[in-house]
Amino acid sequence: MIPIKPVGAGSGKSAAPARTIDAAAGVAAQYLQPGALNLAALPPLSLYVHWPWCVRKCPYCDFNSHEATGEVPEKQYLDALRLDLEMALPLIWGRRIHTVFIGGGTPSLMSAAGLDRLLSDLRTLLPLDGDAEITMEANPGTFEAEKFRSYRTSGINRLSIGIQSFNPHHLQALGRIHDDGEARRAVEIALANFDNFNLDLMYALPSQTLDEARVDLATALSYQPPHLSLYHLTMEPNTVFAKYPPELPDDDTSADMQDLVADMTGAAGYGHYEVSAYARPGHQAKHNLNYWQFGDYLGIGAGAHTKLSFPHRVLRQARYKQPKSYMEQVANGTPVQEEHEIPRAEMGFEFMLNTLRLQGGFAPNLFTERTGLALNTIEKGLNEAEGKGLIYRDHAIIRPTELGHRFLNDLQQIFLA
C-alpha cells in the first residue's frame, strides 16, 4: 500500500503562496508520467465545496463541522476558496465540471452576497456545463425566504434540506436547531423557489416507534419532493452519541422501519436507486451518482476530499480540516494535508465499494473505464460473490441481489485486497 504522505506542511507564513500555479502545473505534469494504470478516458468531473461552520454540532454528526462562535470570517474563507481553486486548476486543465455540491456544516449560513460571490468565482475559473446541477445543503433553522430566492437567482438549482424528522421530540433528541414548524416552512420555501430539491430524513431514532416513523415519512411524501434521502441513524465514532448512546429501537423494529420505507416510497412512485436514495423519475442526484459510479471530484474547502484520474494513476487528496489552519495553509500555498495514489492492488475494492451501493449495479466495461484494469483482476471476488448469491451478473450488468443489498458490507469486503 502506498502510504498517505504530508504535502507542503510549511513552517510559517509567507508573503506569497509558496505553491504557485506554476509549481502546481509542475505537480500536474508529474502525474501525467507513465504509471501502473492505463485509463483510455477520464471520468466525469464534479466539484465539491465545503463550508465548515454550523450553528450547533449535532450529537450524531461526524462530518467536518464546527460550531460558529462569534462572527464567521466569510470573506476570508471565500478568498481562501478562490485561491485554493486557482492552485488546483493545473490538475484539471481542459476538463468540464458537470456538477457542483456545496456542503457542510451549514452552507445556508452564508450570506446571499457571499454565495453570489462564490458562484461568480466558480464560473470565472471553471468551465461549467450549461445544465450543471448545482446543489446546496440547507438546514431548516437557517431558512429565510428572501435569502433563498437570492440563492436561486445566483445559480443554485437544487437544495438538499436536512429535515431529519418532523417530530418535535425526535428533533430535540437529535440536537437539531429547528422545530417541526420550521421543518415544514423550509419545505414550503423550497417548493416555492426550486424545481429540484432533496429532503434528508432519518429513522431508527432514539425511542422512535414504527408508527412515528410512518408519520414522518408520510409527512415528507405529502410534499412530493423530487428526491428523498432516508438514513438509518448510526452511532459514528468520535460523536456525542458514541460516548453517550441513546436508547434506540431494537433490530426487529429497525428492520420493520426499513421495510416500511421500501413499501411507502415504492407506492408513491419513487425509485430506490442507491442504498439510502429514492427519486422520482428523472431526479436522481447527479452529483452523488458520479461518486457512486467512481467518477472524479475536486474538493476545495476545509477538510474537503479529492479524487482525480490521470491516464496512468488515480490521486486522492485531503485538505486541512480546521478552518483556521486551512485558511493559513492556503495563504502559504499548501492547502493539501494528505495526498496519495490509489495502489493498483486496491483499485478494484475502491471501485466496488462505491458501485455496489447502486441498486442497478454497473455495466462490466465501466470497471475498465474507471480503473484502467481488466475485469478479470476481480474475477475471484466476482465468483465468490456470485456463488454466495450476493450478486447477479451477465454480459450487460453486474448488480447486487436483494441478499447482496441486505449484507452489503460483507459483499464489499469480498473485494478487499
Side-chain angles (χ1 to χ4, degrees):
M1 176 177 177
I2 300 174
I4 293 178
K5 58 181 180 181
V7 175
S11 58
K13 294 182 179 179
S14 59
R19 186 177 181 180
T20 63
I21 292 180
D22 286 342
V27 173
Q30 170 190 334
Y31 293 130
L32 292 172
Q33 297 300 312
L37 306 176
N38 186 25
L39 276 68
L42 302 183
L45 177 63
S46 295
L47 176 72
Y48 175 79
V49 182
H50 193 73
W51 176 268
W53 291 285
C54 56
V55 175
R56 184 171 66 209
K57 183 84 168 179
C58 296
Y60 59 85
C61 177
D62 69 337
F63 295 145
N64 183 36
S65 59
H66 306 265
E67 290 189 13
T69 55
E71 187 175 355
V72 170
E74 180 176 282
K75 181 183 182 302
Q76 183 184 359
Y77 191 73
L78 291 173
D79 288 344
L81 286 175
R82 178 173 179 127
L83 184 53
D84 187 1
L85 180 55
E86 287 176 345
M87 289 186 288
L89 288 179
L91 298 176
I92 57 169
W93 284 136
R95 300 183 65 180
R96 185 166 292 275
I97 302 294
H98 295 274
T99 67
V100 177
F101 194 100
I102 305 169
T106 305
S108 49
L109 290 176
M110 207 182 316
S111 69
L115 187 279
D116 190 62
R117 179 251 166 110
L118 172 61
L119 292 180
S120 177
D121 285 348
L122 299 185
R123 292 191 191 95
T124 299
L125 295 171
L126 295 170
L128 293 181
D129 253 2
D131 62 346
E133 176 191 88
I134 304 177
T135 303
M136 181 179 188
E137 285 186 340
N139 286 336
T142 64
F143 263 67
E144 301 167 17
E146 187 58 40
K147 186 163 75 168
F148 276 81
R149 280 193 285 271
S150 296
Y151 288 165
R152 184 69 181 90
T153 301
S154 295
I156 299 296
N157 55 31
R158 185 176 183 272
L159 286 183
S160 184
I161 309 171
I163 298 292
Q164 314 313 355
S165 177
F166 290 97
N167 183 305
H169 302 296
H170 295 142
L171 288 170
Q172 188 175 26
L174 291 171
R176 303 297 287 173
I177 64 169
H178 66 275
D179 59 25
D180 54 318
E182 288 172 313
R184 289 176 171 81
R185 181 170 173 269
V187 183
E188 289 162 2
I189 291 174
L191 281 167
N193 293 281
F194 291 86
D195 301 320
N196 196 9
F197 64 92
N198 166 67
L199 299 184
D200 270 6
L201 214 63
M202 300 174 78
Y203 62 93
L205 306 178
S207 303
Q208 187 180 39
T209 66
L210 185 62
D211 282 342
E212 287 171 335
R214 181 182 290 107
V215 170
D216 251 359
L217 184 51
T219 303
L221 290 170
S222 71
Y223 292 105
Q224 299 183 345
H227 191 284
L228 280 167
S229 295
L230 301 170
Y231 300 106
H232 187 294
L233 176 64
T234 56
M235 301 295 101
E236 300 292 348
N238 303 314
T239 63
V240 173
F241 273 1
K243 189 174 182 180
Y244 305 104
E247 183 180 348
L248 300 177
D250 60 32
D251 290 345
D252 288 341
T253 303
S254 294
D256 289 342
M257 290 179 182
Q258 287 181 294
D259 292 340
L260 178 74
V261 165
D263 293 342
M264 291 181 67
T265 53
Y270 288 79
H272 184 194
Y273 70 97
E274 188 271 342
V275 172
S276 303
Y278 304 76
R280 300 177 74 85
H283 288 91
Q284 294 179 339
K286 295 178 183 177
H287 185 87
N288 290 344
L289 267 177
N290 193 39
Y291 289 156
W292 297 322
Q293 292 171 344
F294 209 51
D296 278 0
Y297 48 92
L298 172 65
I300 60 171
H305 287 251
T306 289
K307 171 196 170 269
L308 290 178
S309 300
F310 298 88
H312 303 293
R313 56 183 42 84
V314 179
L315 174 71
R316 286 201 183 278
Q317 295 178 332
R319 264 66 175 163
Y320 284 86
K321 292 182 68 173
Q322 291 291 333
K324 184 173 183 293
S325 298
Y326 166 74
M327 289 185 282
E328 290 173 349
Q329 294 295 336
V330 170
N332 288 339
T334 55
V336 178
Q337 183 177 24
E338 298 176 350
E339 184 174 284
H340 72 285
E341 292 180 29
I342 301 177
R344 180 185 175 96
E346 296 178 11
M347 193 67 67
F349 172 69
E350 292 258 1
F351 177 89
M352 299 300 277
L353 185 67
N354 287 277
T355 55
L356 289 174
R357 293 180 62 90
L358 294 168
Q359 296 286 114
F362 61 94
N365 62 358
L366 186 70
F367 180 84
T368 299
E369 289 177 13
R370 298 291 156 90
T371 67
L373 304 174
L375 187 62
N376 62 15
T377 59
I378 58 168
E379 187 68 22
K380 181 180 177 182
L382 291 172
N383 289 338
E384 180 181 345
E386 188 176 28
K388 292 180 176 179
L390 298 176
I391 62 166
Y392 167 84
R393 60 171 171 160
D394 58 27
H395 70 283
I397 200 73
I398 298 172
R399 61 170 174 79
T401 61
E402 184 177 344
L403 185 66
H405 278 295
R406 189 172 293 273
F407 297 97
L408 182 59
N409 287 341
D410 296 325
L411 172 56
Q412 291 167 328
Q413 287 177 12
I414 287 174
F415 298 92
L416 185 61

